[in-house]
Amino acid sequence: FFFQAEAGIRDAQESRGLGDVYKRQGFNLAEKARNVPDENSIAVNGVRFVADVLSDSDPVTRQELINGLRVSDQQLSEDVESSCFIFESIPVVPNDVLKEVVRQLPPDDVITAISGATKEIKESVILCIPVQSRKALISSLKSKTSEKEEVRTARRKFVDSMREMADAERVNLRDVNSAFANQAGVPALQ
């Protein structure tokens, strides 16, 4: 990918820069998502797969890929954006939804997921824990040391739970992502 981006910068005659590279990447991503077998043939959901890739991407890459998807396939772009949950957007998730998600997850997964997270994420999650359990959670959080893969797996559970809430029409992930983008000053998934 870096070579393609570098080529876009160096060869102004053949490319108009990084924007073209990102558009091609978005188009390629859309093509791959269209060709992923549907749920009836094997248990793979192309839209969710692409949303997972975007959820794990940095904000600038995520926005450029979404823009590329919008150019190549508007409906696919909307479907992906409605399935994409960004863990860092937890502070802007409606309290009732976040409270339900946090209380559904095993406490150890909650602690692991927020270890190493920002102060805002930790505060948002801790406020969802019943008052009588908060002290124990904070104590566990202070002593918790998790491997990177453990944290990623625990955060994945948050993402999956938020998608379940979106599927149940309890939360609109596009709205959450837009609110997060407006608050954090990162490119919005709009």
Side-chain angles (χ1 to χ4, degrees):
F1 179 75
F2 176 75
F3 177 74
Q4 290 175 334
E6 188 179 57
I9 293 169
R10 286 189 297 175
D11 192 357
Q13 301 297 339
E14 292 184 26
S15 176
R16 287 176 282 181
L18 286 176
D20 285 348
V21 172
Y22 285 126
K23 285 178 188 168
R24 282 194 305 273
Q25 293 295 331
F27 180 76
N28 291 339
L29 197 56
E31 281 301 307
K32 288 176 184 172
R34 264 193 232 100
N35 295 320
V36 172
D38 64 19
E39 296 95 334
N40 297 324
S41 57
I42 60 174
V44 173
N45 182 322
V47 168
R48 294 246 169 139
F49 174 77
V50 173
D52 286 343
V53 169
L54 293 175
S55 293
D56 290 338
S57 299
D58 67 89
V60 173
T61 301
R62 182 182 312 118
Q63 185 59 42
E64 292 296 336
L65 291 173
I66 284 290
N67 288 341
L69 277 174
R70 287 183 190 136
V71 168
S72 62
D73 190 328
Q74 183 64 35
Q75 184 58 51
L76 178 61
S77 171
E78 290 173 9
D79 292 345
V80 168
E81 291 176 67
S82 295
S83 294
C84 184
F85 177 72
I86 304 162
F87 181 80
E88 289 77 12
S89 68
I90 282 177
V92 297
V93 172
N95 286 337
D96 59 323
V97 173
L98 184 59
K99 196 175 283 190
E100 189 172 334
V101 166
V102 168
R103 291 180 180 185
Q104 285 177 17
L105 294 172
D108 195 49
D109 287 339
V110 172
I111 293 165
T112 301
I114 65 173
S115 63
T118 66
K119 179 182 174 186
E120 292 80 15
I121 291 172
K122 288 177 183 175
E123 287 176 358
S124 296
V125 170
I126 289 169
L127 289 174
C128 293
I129 304 293
V131 174
Q132 62 273 23
S133 303
R134 284 183 194 161
K135 191 172 186 176
L137 182 120
I138 292 169
S139 176
S140 295
L141 183 59
K142 288 179 181 177
S143 64
K144 181 76 172 176
T145 55
S146 301
E147 297 294 319
K148 187 176 181 179
E149 192 56 36
E150 287 178 300
V151 172
R152 185 181 156 132
T153 299
R155 289 180 180 184
R156 179 96 243 132
K157 291 179 182 180
F158 264 91
V159 170
D160 293 342
S161 294
M162 290 303 298
R163 281 190 182 146
E164 289 173 15
M165 296 298 267
D167 290 344
E169 298 182 3
R170 299 278 320 278
V171 65
N172 182 316
L173 294 180
R174 288 182 80 184
D175 291 347
V176 168
N177 292 329
S178 292
F180 169 67
N182 289 337
Q183 174 194 353
V186 296
L189 295 180
Q190 297 179 18

